[in-house]
Short mmCIF file of all heavy atoms in Angstrom, two decimals:
data_model
loop_
_atom_site.label_atom_id
_atom_site.label_comp_id
_atom_site.label_asym_id
_atom_site.label_seq_id
_atom_site.Cartn_x
_atom_site.Cartn_y
_atom_site.Cartn_z
N LEU Y 1 272.27 123.50 77.04
CA LEU Y 1 271.49 123.80 78.27
C LEU Y 1 272.42 123.53 79.46
O LEU Y 1 272.39 124.33 80.44
CB LEU Y 1 270.25 122.97 78.29
CG LEU Y 1 269.23 123.21 77.17
CD1 LEU Y 1 268.08 122.19 77.28
CD2 LEU Y 1 268.70 124.60 77.16
N ASP Y 2 273.14 122.43 79.45
CA ASP Y 2 274.06 122.16 80.50
C ASP Y 2 275.12 123.21 80.71
O ASP Y 2 275.53 123.57 81.75
CB ASP Y 2 274.67 120.79 80.39
CG ASP Y 2 273.70 119.60 80.46
OD1 ASP Y 2 272.59 119.85 81.04
OD2 ASP Y 2 274.05 118.48 79.97
N GLU Y 3 275.54 123.74 79.54
CA GLU Y 3 276.56 124.71 79.59
C GLU Y 3 276.07 126.03 80.27
O GLU Y 3 276.75 126.65 81.05
CB GLU Y 3 277.06 125.01 78.17
CG GLU Y 3 278.40 125.81 78.14
CD GLU Y 3 278.93 125.86 76.70
OE1 GLU Y 3 278.81 124.84 75.97
OE2 GLU Y 3 279.42 126.91 76.34
N VAL Y 4 274.82 126.40 79.96
CA VAL Y 4 274.18 127.54 80.62
C VAL Y 4 274.12 127.34 82.13
O VAL Y 4 274.45 128.22 82.92
CB VAL Y 4 272.83 127.89 79.95
CG1 VAL Y 4 272.09 128.91 80.78
CG2 VAL Y 4 272.98 128.37 78.55
N VAL Y 5 273.62 126.16 82.53
CA VAL Y 5 273.50 125.87 83.95
C VAL Y 5 274.90 125.94 84.58
O VAL Y 5 275.01 126.49 85.71
CB VAL Y 5 272.84 124.49 84.15
CG1 VAL Y 5 272.86 124.06 85.62
CG2 VAL Y 5 271.42 124.54 83.66
N GLY Y 6 275.79 125.39 83.96
CA GLY Y 6 277.20 125.40 84.54
C GLY Y 6 277.71 126.82 84.65
O GLY Y 6 278.38 127.18 85.72
N ALA Y 7 277.41 127.67 83.71
CA ALA Y 7 277.91 129.04 83.77
C ALA Y 7 277.21 129.78 84.87
O ALA Y 7 277.83 130.57 85.59
CB ALA Y 7 277.63 129.73 82.45
N PHE Y 8 275.90 129.57 85.04
CA PHE Y 8 275.23 130.18 86.19
C PHE Y 8 275.75 129.72 87.52
O PHE Y 8 276.01 130.49 88.43
CB PHE Y 8 273.67 129.90 86.14
CG PHE Y 8 272.88 130.84 85.33
CD1 PHE Y 8 272.31 130.44 84.15
CD2 PHE Y 8 272.73 132.18 85.75
CE1 PHE Y 8 271.56 131.30 83.39
CE2 PHE Y 8 272.00 133.02 84.98
CZ PHE Y 8 271.41 132.68 83.80
N ALA Y 9 275.99 128.44 87.61
CA ALA Y 9 276.54 127.79 88.83
C ALA Y 9 277.96 128.39 89.18
O ALA Y 9 278.25 128.62 90.36
CB ALA Y 9 276.64 126.27 88.75
N ALA Y 10 278.69 128.63 88.12
CA ALA Y 10 280.08 129.23 88.33
C ALA Y 10 280.01 130.78 88.48
O ALA Y 10 281.04 131.38 88.72
CB ALA Y 10 280.90 128.84 87.18
N ARG Y 11 278.75 131.28 88.38
CA ARG Y 11 278.63 132.79 88.48
C ARG Y 11 279.51 133.48 87.43
O ARG Y 11 280.01 134.56 87.74
CB ARG Y 11 278.95 133.29 89.84
CG ARG Y 11 278.00 132.71 90.89
CD ARG Y 11 278.32 133.22 92.35
NE ARG Y 11 277.56 132.59 93.27
CZ ARG Y 11 276.47 133.14 93.85
NH1 ARG Y 11 276.03 134.32 93.49
NH2 ARG Y 11 275.75 132.43 94.81
N ASP Y 12 279.47 132.91 86.23
CA ASP Y 12 280.24 133.42 85.13
C ASP Y 12 279.29 134.09 84.10
O ASP Y 12 278.92 133.40 83.16
CB ASP Y 12 281.10 132.31 84.50
CG ASP Y 12 282.07 132.76 83.44
OD1 ASP Y 12 281.90 133.89 82.95
OD2 ASP Y 12 282.92 132.00 83.11
N GLY Y 13 279.01 135.34 84.34
CA GLY Y 13 278.07 136.02 83.47
C GLY Y 13 278.54 136.07 81.98
O GLY Y 13 277.67 135.96 81.11
N GLY Y 14 279.76 136.29 81.75
CA GLY Y 14 280.32 136.29 80.39
C GLY Y 14 280.03 135.02 79.64
O GLY Y 14 279.64 135.00 78.50
N ARG Y 15 280.24 133.88 80.37
CA ARG Y 15 280.00 132.56 79.77
C ARG Y 15 278.43 132.34 79.49
O ARG Y 15 278.13 131.78 78.50
CB ARG Y 15 280.58 131.48 80.63
CG ARG Y 15 280.76 130.15 79.90
CD ARG Y 15 281.65 129.20 80.71
NE ARG Y 15 280.78 128.21 81.24
CZ ARG Y 15 280.92 127.46 82.30
NH1 ARG Y 15 282.01 127.78 83.11
NH2 ARG Y 15 280.15 126.55 82.73
N VAL Y 16 277.67 132.87 80.44
CA VAL Y 16 276.24 132.71 80.25
C VAL Y 16 275.75 133.42 78.96
O VAL Y 16 275.12 132.84 78.13
CB VAL Y 16 275.44 133.33 81.44
CG1 VAL Y 16 273.98 133.37 81.04
CG2 VAL Y 16 275.67 132.51 82.69
N PHE Y 17 276.19 134.70 78.79
CA PHE Y 17 275.85 135.38 77.63
C PHE Y 17 276.42 134.81 76.34
O PHE Y 17 275.79 134.75 75.30
CB PHE Y 17 276.23 136.89 77.72
CG PHE Y 17 275.38 137.65 78.59
CD1 PHE Y 17 275.73 138.04 79.85
CD2 PHE Y 17 274.02 138.01 78.21
CE1 PHE Y 17 274.90 138.78 80.73
CE2 PHE Y 17 273.24 138.67 79.04
CZ PHE Y 17 273.63 139.10 80.34
N HIS Y 18 277.62 134.32 76.46
CA HIS Y 18 278.22 133.65 75.29
C HIS Y 18 277.36 132.42 74.89
O HIS Y 18 277.13 132.18 73.68
CB HIS Y 18 279.71 133.24 75.57
CG HIS Y 18 280.35 132.43 74.52
ND1 HIS Y 18 280.75 133.03 73.30
CD2 HIS Y 18 280.70 131.19 74.41
CE1 HIS Y 18 281.28 132.07 72.52
NE2 HIS Y 18 281.23 130.93 73.24
N THR Y 19 276.99 131.66 75.77
CA THR Y 19 276.23 130.42 75.61
C THR Y 19 274.87 130.74 75.00
O THR Y 19 274.38 130.14 74.07
CB THR Y 19 276.16 129.54 76.80
OG1 THR Y 19 277.54 129.30 77.22
CG2 THR Y 19 275.53 128.18 76.47
N VAL Y 20 274.20 131.68 75.62
CA VAL Y 20 272.93 132.19 75.10
C VAL Y 20 273.01 132.67 73.64
O VAL Y 20 272.17 132.37 72.81
CB VAL Y 20 272.25 133.27 76.02
CG1 VAL Y 20 271.10 133.83 75.40
CG2 VAL Y 20 271.90 132.64 77.40
N ASN Y 21 274.13 133.37 73.35
CA ASN Y 21 274.36 133.79 71.97
C ASN Y 21 274.48 132.61 71.03
O ASN Y 21 273.93 132.62 69.91
CB ASN Y 21 275.58 134.65 71.83
CG ASN Y 21 275.70 135.37 70.60
OD1 ASN Y 21 274.78 135.94 70.11
ND2 ASN Y 21 276.91 135.31 69.98
N ARG Y 22 275.09 131.59 71.51
CA ARG Y 22 275.19 130.35 70.69
C ARG Y 22 273.84 129.64 70.48
O ARG Y 22 273.60 129.11 69.40
CB ARG Y 22 276.14 129.33 71.32
CG ARG Y 22 277.63 129.75 71.20
CD ARG Y 22 278.57 128.82 71.84
NE ARG Y 22 278.33 127.39 71.54
CZ ARG Y 22 278.58 126.36 72.36
NH1 ARG Y 22 279.12 126.63 73.52
NH2 ARG Y 22 278.38 125.20 71.94
N VAL Y 23 272.99 129.81 71.45
CA VAL Y 23 271.53 129.26 71.34
C VAL Y 23 270.91 130.10 70.18
O VAL Y 23 270.25 129.51 69.33
CB VAL Y 23 270.76 129.37 72.66
CG1 VAL Y 23 269.32 129.17 72.43
CG2 VAL Y 23 271.41 128.45 73.71
N ILE Y 24 271.03 131.38 70.30
CA ILE Y 24 270.35 132.28 69.26
C ILE Y 24 270.95 132.04 67.92
O ILE Y 24 270.23 131.89 66.95
CB ILE Y 24 270.57 133.76 69.67
CG1 ILE Y 24 269.79 134.01 70.99
CG2 ILE Y 24 270.11 134.72 68.51
CD1 ILE Y 24 270.07 135.39 71.57
#
């Protein structure tokens, strides 16, 4: 969850999707 928030804060869409994929 922290990783997703950090990715959003960094405006790093690729990292957001990568982390969400790890959640799934």
